[in-house]
Amino acid sequence: MPITPKVEWSETIEGLSIQVHIKHVQKSKINITASALFLKVNYKPFILDLDLKHPIKYQDVLVRILPKYIEIKCEKAIE
């Protein structure tokens, strides 16, 4: 059964910053999918599906894998 990880996020007019709390992530085993209004993080047994309120520039998503969490930064698309 999938587990939903702890998530912290902050939002500004320009963008969104998300911290997904999964420790000791191996880059070769994580899958992150982004589209304009959706973000998914899959690292077995953890799965996080987020429906976003505002569209993002999904081609420019920045992901940093740190020892205690995954940091995802997204710039909002101008509507």
Side-chain angles (χ1 to χ4, degrees):
M1 177 165 237
I3 299 169
T4 302
K6 178 183 172 189
V7 176
E8 295 179 35
W9 65 278
S10 63
E11 182 176 9
T12 66
I13 294 171
E14 296 87 20
L16 181 65
S17 179
I18 303 165
Q19 292 181 353
V20 183
H21 290 268
I22 303 174
K23 294 181 181 180
H24 311 294
V25 172
Q26 295 177 9
K27 289 180 187 180
S28 63
K29 294 186 178 184
I30 191 168
N31 182 13
I32 298 175
T33 305
S35 67
L37 291 168
F38 181 75
L39 186 68
K40 179 177 183 175
V41 177
N42 185 359
Y43 185 74
K44 291 185 182 182
F46 299 98
I47 295 180
L48 176 66
D49 290 328
L50 297 175
D51 291 315
L52 305 173
K53 184 176 180 178
H54 302 285
I56 60 168
K57 294 181 180 179
Y58 60 91
Q59 305 92 331
D60 299 328
V61 171
L62 176 65
V63 177
R64 289 182 30 195
I65 297 175
L66 303 167
K68 294 188 178 187
Y69 61 89
I70 303 158
E71 180 180 59
I72 302 170
K73 292 192 176 188
C74 313
E75 184 179 344
K76 289 182 183 176
I78 297 172
E79 296 180 351

